[in-house]
């Protein structure tokens, strides 16, 4: 799982904006950036220049240094997970066991825990279908974390 800098920056900018309960339109006007371009930056589709990042951070009252520090911590956490658990081990650890269990998916994704952006953690996002027989009838359930 490769993390792109523009995606990590975009995620942090979007979280900062939504935590302030502000719209894209409000921030784009304040930063003097087109709404469409700001949206593309938040989605990690466009690489923002340093001047543009400074303008967006000013509009959000978020110091640029704080944004970059948090992005560096996010990427460091994701990179640490990648290096400590090889891709094959990730696939094996998310594969259910048992005669009737079948994996429908499983991967590591970043997730926000709590309302504070400092609470960014890596959590497994799993979706497994587990089938069992109860009293002679077949039952199935999908579990997601």
């Amino acid at each position: 799982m490769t993390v792109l800098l523009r995606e990590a920056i975009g995620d942090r900018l979007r979280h900062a904006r939504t935590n302030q309960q502000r719209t894209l339109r409000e921030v784009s006007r304040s930063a003097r950036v087109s709404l469409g371009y700001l949206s593309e930056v938040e989605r990690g589709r466009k690489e923002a220049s340093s001047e543009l990042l400074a303008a967006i951070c000013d509009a959000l009252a978020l110091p640029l240094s704080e944004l970059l520090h948090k992005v560096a911590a996010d990427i460091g956490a994701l990179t640490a997970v990648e290096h400590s658990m090889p891709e094959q081990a990730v696939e094996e650890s998310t594969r259910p066991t048992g005669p009737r269990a079948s994996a429908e998916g499983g991967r590591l994704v970043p997730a926000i825990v709590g309302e504070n952006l400092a609470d960014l953690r890596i959590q497994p996002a799993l979706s497994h279908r587990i089938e069992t027989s109860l009293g002679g009838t077949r039952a199935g359930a999908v579990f997601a974390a």
Side-chain angles (χ1 to χ4, degrees), residues 37 47-54:
Y37 195 78
E47 193 96 33
S49 68
S50 58
E51 292 87 1
L52 181 65
L53 279 178

Side-chain angles (χ1 to χ4, degrees), residues 39-110:
S39 175
E40 293 284 307
V41 168
E42 282 190 358
R43 289 185 289 146
R45 303 286 172 104
K46 297 287 183 184
E47 193 96 33
S49 68
S50 58
E51 292 87 1
L52 181 65
L53 279 178
I56 296 169
C57 285
D58 285 344
L60 292 169
L62 172 68
L64 180 58
S65 60
E66 184 179 333
L67 171 72
L68 295 176
H69 177 73
K70 288 180 177 180
V71 167
D74 295 346
I75 291 174
L78 289 171
T79 305
V81 167
E82 267 184 24
H83 291 298
S84 67
M85 192 172 205
E87 193 68 30
Q88 184 179 11
V90 171
E91 290 175 14
E92 289 175 5
S93 69
T94 59
R95 190 176 303 136
T97 58
R100 296 183 182 259
S102 65
E104 293 180 356
R107 63 193 189 286
L108 291 176
V109 295

Side-chain angles (χ1 to χ4, degrees), residues 100 131-134 136-140:
R100 296 183 182 259
E131 296 180 12
T132 183
S133 296
L134 298 173
T137 60
R138 288 186 58 156

Side-chain angles (χ1 to χ4, degrees), residues 7-19 38 41-42 48 52-53 56-57 60 62 67 71 117:
E7 292 174 348
I9 288 172
D11 285 344
R12 279 293 175 174
L13 289 174
R14 175 166 281 164
H15 287 300
R17 179 180 59 78
T18 56
N19 281 345
L38 178 59
V41 168
E42 282 190 358
L52 181 65
L53 279 178
I56 296 169
C57 285
L60 292 169
L62 172 68
L67 171 72
V71 167
L117 290 179

